[in-house]
Amino acid sequence: MNSVPPSGRAALRRHDREILGLALPAFGALVAEPLFLMADSAIVGHLGTAQLAGLGVASALLQTCVNVFVFLAYATTAAVARRLGAGDRSAALRQGIDGIWLALLLGLLVVAVALPTAPALLDAFGASATAAPYGTTYLRVSALGIPAMLIVLAATGVLRGLQDTRTPLYVAVGGFVLNGILNLLLVYPAGLGIAGSAWGTVIAQWTMAAVYLTVVVRGARRHGAPLRPDLAGIRASGRAGVPLLIRTLSLRAVMMIATAVAARLGDADVAAHQITLTLWSLLAFALDAIAIAGQAIIGRYLGAEDEAGARAVCRRMVQWGVASGVVLGALVLLVRPLFMPLFTTDQAVIDQLTPVLLVVAVTQPVAGAVFVLDGVLTGAGDGTYLAGAMLVTLAVFAPVALLVPTLGGGLTALWWTVAGLMMTTRLITLALRARSGRWAVPGAVRA
């Protein structure tokens, strides 16, 4: 006999529709983003090894510059969703526009730093003498698109906060297609080489930014929200983003430490580590889609001062996260024999990779809960706690990971610290906060 009353089942179905309605398009948009780099790599790879190596280092730098500012999307989503939940769409759009102005200012600052320092940055990241000139060219041209990339992040946050994840999907797919066409035309028929690939990406990114700005500006005019920059609003957006920036930097530090430790274990180990990171990133896209839905929905509930609804949807999203982790873990186990040959035929690498993928598979349910809870607390504007929790996680993870080579542990032991220790520590800190209920602060603005 079903113990859930009809009213409870109706609420669950309503939550499920909300979650899926936001998460599925968000997943599509997330997957489309790395396709930009894949298209560039596929096209530039035919120019030569030195060009591809230069692209690899430059694109890693470019991704770092952009990913550090992912708070532009997350903080904006939470703030806009709160005001939407409070019934003030004009204030929601005004908040989003402040975030876009902040993105533009930060983008211009990054460009001012990146252009003159490009050769030094390539050298610091280990680019070879033959690859460095190509990497410098790609980085300097691509840097011109950084303001557009940050505007896209902030504007995506605006639309997510307004409960719209379909428009970002359409824009991401359109941007990917345009990027591919431009790269093909500019690299080969136009004869611009690696610079052509960079220009194609820059044009595609600014086109995406223009589409987003058109959508946001139309909404602002329709609801009477001002478009001019507001210094107080920009400062507020910046303050909200600082804790999330700390969280992001701490998380990147975890992955950098893991890569540095893997490099000390041997060539086969670091090769297997990089393959595992590729799979880990793909799995993260699927789980992050549910987290993005959590940011938008939780912010809206709290803006409407519905704390009970926020807690209920939090519980349901955690269930979704764990279930998704179980499914993804099972898929990893099933496709493992097919997945490994796509990346390597080196038996030494495969021997290292086999047990590591098992670790990744069995820890996916934990990862699912972590991603969802992180999204819930982000949507609630609980950034200060998230920053502190991630610093605690880094403090727990770093000494254990650094001891792996000393204690004779191999790559499997390292990944138990990444997927096991690190994610379990995050789960404990986030679950304690979720259970306390102190994250559920109602109102159009988090006090």
Side-chain angles (χ1 to χ4, degrees):
M1 182 175 179
N2 196 329
S3 60
V4 180
S7 60
R9 290 196 296 272
L12 289 178
R13 287 195 295 270
R14 184 177 70 253
H15 293 326
D16 290 345
R17 285 195 298 270
E18 283 186 311
I19 294 166
L20 287 174
L22 292 172
L24 290 178
F27 174 68
L30 288 169
V31 171
E33 291 175 11
L35 294 179
F36 274 82
L37 178 58
M38 291 178 62
D40 288 1
S41 299
I43 293 168
V44 171
H46 293 285
L47 293 174
T49 301
Q51 289 91 331
L52 184 58
L55 170 68
V57 178
S59 62
L61 279 164
L62 196 64
Q63 283 186 310
T64 299
C65 289
V66 175
N67 290 341
V68 160
F69 298 108
V70 73
F71 70 84
L72 289 167
Y74 291 173
T76 303
T77 297
V80 170
R82 274 186 175 268
R83 285 162 175 78
L84 181 72
D88 192 345
R89 186 175 285 265
S90 176
L93 286 161
R94 185 166 64 248
Q95 177 69 46
I97 289 167
D98 290 336
I100 291 173
W101 278 110
L102 176 62
L104 177 60
L105 292 174
L106 290 173
L108 294 175
L109 178 62
V110 173
V111 171
V113 173
L115 289 179
T117 61
L121 291 172
L122 267 294
D123 183 63
F125 267 60
S128 67
T130 53
Y134 296 109
T136 300
T137 297
Y138 187 88
L139 182 58
R140 280 180 165 161
V141 175
S142 295
L144 300 177
I146 289 176
M149 296 179 195
L150 299 191
I151 289 171
V152 166
L153 280 178
T156 300
V158 176
L159 296 183
R160 288 173 180 170
L162 296 173
Q163 316 296 294
D164 176 10
T165 55
R166 290 184 180 274
T167 300
L169 170 62
Y170 300 148
V171 176
V173 171
F176 166 69
V177 172
L178 178 62
N179 178 65
I181 293 172
L182 288 173
N183 278 352
L184 284 171
L185 294 176
L186 295 176
V187 171
Y188 296 110
L192 296 180
I194 195 169
S197 176
W199 278 116
T201 300
V202 169
I203 294 170
Q205 291 289 354
W206 276 108
T207 301
M208 291 170 65
V211 173
Y212 273 119
L213 290 174
T214 299
V215 173
V216 173
V217 168
R218 283 178 179 172
R221 288 176 173 167
R222 187 180 308 120
H223 296 280
L227 299 174
R228 64 183 180 277
D230 176 63
L231 292 180
I234 293 171
R235 283 196 298 269
S237 295
R239 284 194 300 271
V242 169
L244 294 179
L245 175 61
I246 294 171
R247 165 200 166 276
T248 300
L249 291 174
S250 300
L251 186 56
R252 291 194 69 83
V254 165
M255 304 315 295
M256 288 175 65
I257 290 170
T259 300
V261 171
R264 293 167 58 189
L265 297 175
D267 290 346
D269 298 84
V270 75
H273 176 73
Q274 291 302 319
I275 295 170
T276 306
L277 279 179
T278 301
L279 177 62
W280 183 267
S281 298
L282 179 61
L283 296 171
F285 285 136
L287 298 175
D288 203 30
I290 304 174
I292 287 169
Q295 293 170 22
I297 295 171
I298 291 294
R300 193 188 79 235
Y301 271 91
L302 292 177
E305 302 192 1
D306 185 355
E307 297 174 59
R311 290 192 180 94
V313 78
C314 171
R315 289 191 295 271
R316 189 58 174 170
M317 279 187 288
V318 169
Q319 293 171 358
W320 270 96
V322 173
S324 299
V326 170
V327 172
L328 291 174
L331 285 175
V332 170
L333 293 177
L334 288 173
V335 305
R336 189 173 48 163
L338 302 175
F339 174 79
M340 291 186 289
L342 293 176
F343 289 88
T344 183
T345 57
D346 187 330
Q347 189 59 46
V349 177
I350 292 174
D351 289 342
Q352 295 292 339
L353 195 57
T354 300
V356 171
L357 293 183
L358 178 61
V359 174
V360 171
V362 300
T363 55
Q364 282 307 294
V366 174
V370 167
F371 273 77
V372 168
L373 289 172
D374 187 88
V376 166
L377 298 185
T378 300
D382 205 12
T384 300
Y385 183 86
L386 286 170
M390 198 61 227
L391 287 172
V392 169
T393 300
L394 176 60
V396 171
F397 166 82
V400 177
L402 292 172
L403 282 172
V404 166
T406 303
L407 298 177
L411 189 66
T412 303
L414 175 62
W415 268 91
W416 272 119
T417 67
V418 175
L421 177 64
M422 187 269 286
M423 295 303 284
T424 300
T425 304
R426 290 189 72 191
L427 178 61
I428 291 170
T429 57
L430 298 179
L432 287 173
R433 185 64 167 181
R435 286 178 63 87
S436 75
R438 289 194 293 272
W439 56 274
V441 179
V445 179
R446 184 182 174 93

